[in-house]
Amino acid sequence: MKRTRETINYAHPNERWNLSSCLVFDGEDRSEEARRRHNAELQKQALLEQINENKRKKEMDREHEMMQDAQRMHLK
């Protein structure tokens, strides 16, 4: 069905945002890029936290092994 009037779903012509030049479409997600960047930053932070956590765990395991080795050497 062809629309004959562009004022459908708009209360006032000033709220049309220049429909004739197609600057804004109904249902358009204007915050997509900002949201995508924010999500990428959150993912990056989460990955860095996991990397640091794994490094701390490996270091703790290494220290624990060194302590066990020292105890074994002391017992001999």
Side-chain angles (χ1 to χ4, degrees), residues 20-62:
S20 61
S21 63
C22 299
L23 295 176
V24 177
F25 296 101
D26 289 338
E28 182 179 11
D29 188 6
R30 297 185 57 90
S31 63
E32 176 188 8
E33 186 169 339
R35 187 177 61 252
R36 190 169 21 98
R37 286 182 183 167
H38 178 69
N39 288 340
E41 184 64 31
L42 290 176
Q43 186 177 24
K44 180 179 178 182
Q45 290 174 0
L47 289 174
L48 289 175
E49 288 175 11
Q50 287 179 359
I51 289 170
N52 290 334
E53 183 179 336
N54 287 337
K55 284 181 182 179
R56 283 192 304 270
K57 183 180 176 187
K58 286 181 183 179
E59 183 63 28
M60 287 177 59
D61 288 344
R62 186 179 152 289

Side-chain angles (χ1 to χ4, degrees), residues 5-20:
R5 293 178 44 185
E6 289 295 331
T7 59
I8 297 173
N9 298 326
Y10 297 99
H12 191 269
N14 289 338
E15 296 175 4
R16 289 172 42 185
W17 291 64
N18 297 325
L19 283 177
S20 61

